[in-house]
Amino acid sequence: MNNPEQQFLKALDDKLWKAADKLRANLDAANYKHVVLGLIFLKYVSDAFEERQEALLERFKDENDDIYYLPREDFDSDEDYQQALQEELEILDYYREANVFWVPKAARWSTLKEKAVLPVGTVLWQDDTGHDVKLRSVSWLMDNALEAIEKSNAKLKGILNRISQYQLENDKLLGLINTFSDTSFTKPMFDGEQLDLHSKDILGHVYEYFLGQFALAEGKQGGQYYTPKSIVTLIVAMLEPYSGRVYDPAMGSGGFFVSSDKFIEEHAKEHHYDPSEQKKHISVYGQESNPTTWRLAAMNMAIRGIDFNFGKKNADTFLDDQHPDLRADFVMANPPFNMKDWWSESLADDARWQYGTPPKGNANFAWMQHMIHHLAPTGSMALLLANGSMSSHTNNEGGIRQRLVEEDLVECMAALPGQLFTNTQIPACIWFLTRDKANGLVRNEKKRDRREEFLFIDARNLGFMRDRVLRDFTVDDIAKIADTFHAWQRGEHYEDVAGFCKSASLDEIKKHDFVLTPGRYVGAREQEDDGEPFAEKMARLTGQLQEQFVESERLEAEIKRNLGRLGYDL
């Protein structure tokens, strides 16, 4: 947190969370997140929209711009020219071509801020029939904005939660609006320095931060819509989803899609592509059973201008697959660990159980086989699961794991450190599988033939403690793991490292009875040789220990004497 951008974001997080947290006296965490995220949503889409308007206005006036220039001499007066500029700014196609979310006038932040301070009963505007529309309350004004957005954006119909149902007082909502307004999202400054951050960067960060905070506030239940950012970033960095169809069957709030979007932007900049053109080559598909979380995911995509297909409704992935015909190029998921209550007798002979029927009391291998079922012939996937999935032999799990290995779907197993999750202490791992280890159907990738080879990565010693309870990965940690995976895939500068990574053969895995725990393969880390012979070192350390025992006895006797003088007898 040393650079100005990070310090700015940290200060902003604290400020906005402190303002939002005041609602906790009136609402529980499960409800006040809808109010706060609804406001963040309105602010985000409005700021991105206004940023696009400013850029368009400059181009309309730039005589060197052959496409957008609007000549002043074509109009009789300055007033006509200004009117034409304003009308041009309201053309929808200008925003869609730049992947910017369209925001109608009634939903723009400037409208919300201006009208929210007016007395209740004030006439705001006239509706389509010519009748006066009066201000009823601040929550009504927010609901009106959300409704206007839904009408203008068909994919969000029925998605945005209305605020009025929570019956919050006007002054509390006005306080939130003022706090969100009292920050420069388009031209952020820190210690007098102009920062290279756009409103999309800032509000995207705030949105993710709030999702994480709500997950903490709600405890175990909150984790259902939030996967730690570092794990999502790691998986995306390893799979490299530049183009194609990306699918998450347990999408939560859509974190994998957001990270994929950021990854594509960074990749495009690195190779001097146009990010908006690059994004046209990717499409996202998701499914989520929880209605609240399904809505959050749709909002999360909309504020970033990501085109999405999350099915017609929230639904159970196993019982009501919203994408039955999808064959995805990349599948990524963090489903609930060891989910017990998932089975239905209608699933008994399901076509997805190609490698064995999963146990009725644990959905781990049901998720895995569902994802494999939806993989394209060249597709790759990453699945976050509890560590037990790597070694359990209970109720056919060992048999399914053996089939997956023997049929050469497993590519890499990565063991993660503990304390990465806000809502569980269960140790976790990532399974990386692919349908094309031979690299026979190349997608412009420099991968080699990896048949009957398996990479094991033990990342349990990586990361740092972000606070007293949560661990996190550094950028270097993520790069180390991802680079190791890519070097192994491509056969470029890969080497086994004791205690960290090992490329194993099928025969080695058979010797371990198809248990895939990385620790069994990577071995122990090599200790540094300090040049001191082992026998001499042991003699020296034993002598030091003896001296410490003697000193301990002396100190114990001294303490007893002092206590005795005070009248205490041990």
Side-chain angles (χ1 to χ4, degrees), residues 178-471:
N178 288 337
T179 302
F180 277 67
S181 299
D182 186 26
T183 304
S184 175
F185 290 102
T186 50
K187 296 175 182 175
M189 304 282 291
F190 187 80
D191 281 350
E193 180 183 344
Q194 179 75 46
L195 301 179
D196 184 25
L197 285 171
H198 300 288
S199 60
K200 182 178 177 182
D201 302 320
I202 300 167
L203 279 160
H205 167 87
V206 169
Y207 196 86
E208 287 179 16
Y209 172 77
F210 271 61
L211 283 175
Q213 289 299 105
F214 286 127
L216 284 170
E218 291 183 59
K220 187 174 181 180
Q221 293 303 311
Q224 67 188 327
Y225 60 82
Y226 185 75
T227 304
K229 184 180 176 183
S230 59
I231 297 178
V232 174
T233 305
L234 172 63
I235 287 174
V236 169
M238 292 177 78
L239 282 187
E240 298 184 304
Y242 297 131
S243 63
R245 292 151 298 188
V246 179
Y247 174 52
D248 183 347
M251 67 182 179
S253 60
F256 281 114
F257 302 133
V258 172
S259 267
S260 297
D261 188 61
K262 290 179 181 175
F263 188 79
I264 291 165
E265 282 190 357
E266 290 169 9
H267 175 72
K269 289 174 185 174
E270 186 180 326
H271 292 82
H272 309 292
Y273 305 148
D274 179 352
S276 59
E277 283 299 312
Q278 186 74 15
K279 288 181 188 181
K280 291 177 183 176
H281 299 295
I282 199 156
S283 51
V284 303
Y285 300 81
Q287 182 153 349
E288 173 60 44
S289 61
N290 183 291
T292 297
T293 313
W294 186 70
R295 290 190 176 98
L296 284 177
M299 289 167 64
N300 211 358
M301 298 305 101
I303 59 182
R304 291 171 169 83
I306 300 173
D307 191 32
F308 63 94
N309 181 343
F310 292 164
K312 295 178 180 178
K313 58 182 179 177
N314 59 288
D316 184 293
T317 300
F318 298 123
L319 298 175
D320 189 4
D321 190 347
Q322 294 289 294
H323 308 286
D325 301 321
L326 174 66
R327 296 298 178 265
D329 300 292
F330 301 97
V331 185
M332 302 177 275
N334 170 26
F337 291 173
N338 304 323
M339 192 167 79
K340 293 181 173 62
D341 187 20
W342 73 280
W343 179 259
S344 165
E345 287 307 318
S346 64
L347 297 171
D349 298 313
D350 198 287
R352 288 171 288 185
W353 315 148
Q354 188 178 348
Y355 305 96
T357 303
K360 296 179 181 180
N362 192 317
N364 286 345
F365 284 94
W367 286 112
M368 189 174 297
Q369 293 191 83
H370 173 86
M371 291 168 67
I372 294 169
H373 176 78
H374 281 289
L375 270 184
T378 58
S380 296
M381 60 174 267
L383 174 60
L384 194 64
L385 286 179
N387 277 359
S389 63
M390 298 188 288
S391 58
S392 171
H393 286 278
T394 307
N395 298 323
N396 201 35
E397 288 186 333
I400 297 172
R401 188 171 54 250
Q402 180 173 336
R403 288 278 306 278
L404 294 173
V405 172
E406 288 177 335
E407 299 201 23
D408 221 7
L409 287 164
V410 179
E411 182 166 31
C412 174
M413 300 297 303
L416 299 175
Q419 294 180 273
L420 286 173
F421 296 87
T422 58
N423 62 320
T424 181
Q425 293 302 313
I426 297 175
C429 61
I430 309 172
W431 290 66
F432 291 90
L433 288 82
T434 183
R435 281 196 181 276
D436 186 27
K437 285 174 79 173
N439 203 37
L441 299 168
V442 182
R443 296 188 305 261
N444 297 319
E445 295 176 11
K446 297 177 181 177
K447 293 180 183 176
R448 62 186 178 86
D449 186 335
R450 309 174 305 286
R451 282 175 288 185
E452 296 194 0
E453 293 182 40
F454 308 82
L455 179 64
F456 292 91
I457 296 176
D458 191 343
R460 290 177 298 173
N461 293 312
L462 298 184
F464 68 101
M465 293 305 294
R466 196 173 71 197
D467 52 39
R468 288 182 299 172
V469 294
L470 284 176
R471 180 176 286 275

Side-chain angles (χ1 to χ4, degrees), residues 34 37-38 41-42 45 101 107 142-143 145-151 153 155-163 165 207 294-296 298-300 302-303:
H34 297 302
L37 292 175
F41 173 78
L42 288 172
V45 296
F101 190 88
M142 290 171 62
D143 284 353
L146 295 167
E147 190 172 333
I149 283 176
E150 283 193 357
K151 284 181 180 177
N153 298 273
K155 279 198 170 183
L156 289 179
K157 186 173 176 58
I159 294 290
L160 305 178
N161 260 312
R162 301 302 187 258
I163 308 302
Q165 62 182 308
Y207 196 86
W294 186 70
R295 290 190 176 98
L296 284 177
M299 289 167 64
N300 211 358
I303 59 182

